């Protein structure tokens, strides 16, 4: 079972990875220095936070949880920052991802 502390760390790691994705897009193929440095830094911080969370947790559960949360956050960020498409089917997909992640906790 994942503790609340580990859940917070998983969430923070997911935020770093999803935020890194925003800067990756803004880097225009790593051709712009500051966004490139930002996405690299966020990915490193996300990986370190995930490593800390994994000290006592199960690799499969922790890693899949981060990937699911990252996917959901990335969709939200892409809609908010880049005005990407938003549909009921995408909402359903995110709900299913988050439900799967929640089931992993038990």
């Amino acid at each position: 079972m994942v503790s609340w502390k580990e859940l917070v760390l998983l969430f923070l790691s997911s935020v770093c990875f999803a935020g890194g994705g925003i800067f990756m897009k803004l880097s225009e193929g790593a051709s712009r220095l500051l966004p490139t440095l930002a996405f690299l830094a966020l990915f490193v911080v996300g990986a370190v936070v995930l490593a800390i969370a994994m000290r006592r947790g199960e690799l499969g559960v922790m890693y899949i949880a981060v990937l699911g949360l990252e996917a959901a956050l990335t969709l939200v960020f892409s809609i908010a920052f880049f005005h990407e498409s938003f549909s009921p089917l995408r909402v359903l997909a995110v709900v299913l991802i988050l439900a799967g992640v929640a089931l992993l906790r038990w």
Side-chain angles (χ1 to χ4, degrees), residues 11-66:
F11 181 77
L12 291 175
S13 177
S14 297
V15 168
C16 288
F17 288 133
I22 291 171
F23 284 102
M24 184 184 289
K25 183 165 177 72
L26 293 173
S27 76
E28 296 177 6
S31 66
R32 297 178 59 217
L33 180 62
L34 291 180
T36 300
L37 293 175
F39 91 71
L40 291 172
L42 283 167
F43 284 176
V44 168
V45 170
V48 169
V49 171
L50 179 56
I52 293 167
M54 284 185 178
R55 282 190 292 197
R56 289 179 297 232
E58 296 177 32
L59 172 65
V61 172
M62 302 292 231
Y63 200 77
I64 291 169
V66 165

